Each structure stands twice: as C-alpha cells, then as structure tokens.
Amino acid sequence: MTDHFIEVSLVKRNVHCTAKLLVERAPITCAAIWEALPLAGDVYHAKYARNEIYALFPPFAETEPPLENPTVTPIPGDLCYFAFAGTELGTKAYGYDREVRAGTTVVDLALFYERNNLLLNGDVGWVPGIVWGQIVEGLEGMAEACNDLWRTGAAGETLSFRRA
C-alpha cells in the first residue's frame, strides 16, 4: 500500500484538499482508514488543541490501531487518528453528551491547519495522536475555511474523507 491519496472536504463550504497517506509510518492505521472510506460526519473545531477540526465516528477497524507515528505536537497539514472511550468524552464540557456514552468507543479523525498545536487536555493530560496523513495540496484554502469555521460556527458543516 503506497502512494494512496484522499480528498478531505468541508462540504457546505465546498473546500477541498488532498492528503497523502503515510503508509510507511502508520501502516495499520492507514489500512483501517483506507478500507473504511468514504467517511463523513459533523465537523467540530477543537477547544483544547487550537488549530484543529475533526469529526467523530463509530469504530471501523477490526481492532484499534496501535499508537504508530505518534505526536502531541501536530503540524499544519497533519491528519491524526484518536480513539476515545465514551467516558473520556461523554460530559457536557465536550458537547457530545447526547452522542457519546460510557461503554462506547469513538474515533476522532482530525485535520490540523495551523501551527502551535499541543495535544494536552486539562481533564486527562497528554493525548497522543497517530499521524496517518499529510495534506499535500490545498492546505491554504482549507486553513482559511477552518478559521472561518472557528469564527462563524460549525453548525450544519460536514467533514468528509474519501479516496482521491
């Protein structure tokens, strides 16, 4: 599995970028995501990590990938994978209390669009993510749309991942 590309989109804003899967660095994660595509869900803008948008999904891998190619300091253009237990996100502080419950697992696919990100959560501490992709085209336009999402709101917007 080499040189696989995906399109990442903010559907309502009609903004797209292209990412290369980092198969050599995160082969298990890339394979799980590639097989699950297409994926789309309500977009959120991160409260803690700064310049991050993401969507939440039910688990789609046969088993959760190990922490391959981890980071707590993602750079612009990084795509990261996180898996959380429902008890980690199932509080009103996160805003998912209707969708995420104890006894469940949720997968977070995130796009980082600007510098100075730090995956440190006041409730649980360091939250390393798996870097599984890198934006290779269209990051500037996506960053503008992400900043607009932060300022004007995410309601009604969808984050989509599909094979390019």
Side-chain angles (χ1 to χ4, degrees), residues 73-87:
T73 56
I75 62 172
D78 276 353
L79 298 177
C80 289
Y81 177 106
F82 304 89
F84 296 105
T87 53

Side-chain angles (χ1 to χ4, degrees), residues 1-6 19-37 60 68 132-133 163:
M1 205 175 132
T2 59
D3 290 344
H4 283 66
F5 295 89
I6 64 168
K20 180 181 178 185
L21 272 63
L22 302 177
V23 176
E24 296 80 24
R25 295 181 183 172
I28 296 168
T29 306
C30 288
I33 292 169
W34 186 256
E35 291 305 314
L37 295 175
F60 47 78
E68 46 185 8
W132 59 273
R163 294 178 185 185

Side-chain angles (χ1 to χ4, degrees), residues 98-120:
R98 290 179 316 214
E99 298 91 358
V100 180
R101 301 195 187 327
T104 63
T105 298
V106 64
V107 172
D108 170 334
L109 295 183
L111 181 155
F112 292 85
Y113 63 90
E114 187 51 77
R115 298 173 45 115
N116 300 321
N117 302 295
L118 186 62
L119 301 179
L120 179 61

Side-chain angles (χ1 to χ4, degrees), residues 11-158:
V11 176
K12 185 176 173 183
R13 286 170 170 80
N14 195 28
V15 177
H16 315 277
C17 59
T18 303
K20 180 181 178 185
L21 272 63
L22 302 177
V23 176
E24 296 80 24
R25 295 181 183 172
I28 296 168
T29 306
C30 288
I33 292 169
W34 186 256
E35 291 305 314
L37 295 175
L39 293 166
D42 291 342
V43 69
Y44 296 91
H45 197 289
K47 286 173 100 172
Y48 298 104
R50 291 195 176 176
N51 302 300
E52 171 193 359
I53 62 167
Y54 60 97
L56 301 175
F57 302 97
F60 47 78
E62 191 172 309
T63 58
E64 283 305 314
L67 190 58
E68 46 185 8
N69 199 30
T71 190
V72 292
T73 56
I75 62 172
D78 276 353
L79 298 177
C80 289
Y81 177 106
F82 304 89
F84 296 105
T87 53
E88 292 176 281
L89 299 180
T91 68
K92 290 186 180 196
Y94 295 99
Y96 321 121
D97 50 303
R98 290 179 316 214
E99 298 91 358
V100 180
R101 301 195 187 327
T104 63
T105 298
V106 64
V107 172
D108 170 334
L109 295 183
L111 181 155
F112 292 85
Y113 63 90
E114 187 51 77
R115 298 173 45 115
N116 300 321
N117 302 295
L118 186 62
L119 301 179
L120 179 61
N121 180 298
D123 295 335
V124 297
W126 295 106
V127 183
I130 299 168
V131 182
W132 59 273
Q134 180 66 46
I135 304 298
V136 294
E137 183 180 309
L139 181 58
E140 186 176 322
M142 181 60 77
E144 288 177 22
C146 292
N147 196 43
D148 178 66
L149 187 112
W150 172 249
R151 291 190 328 266
T152 63
E157 183 61 87
T158 300

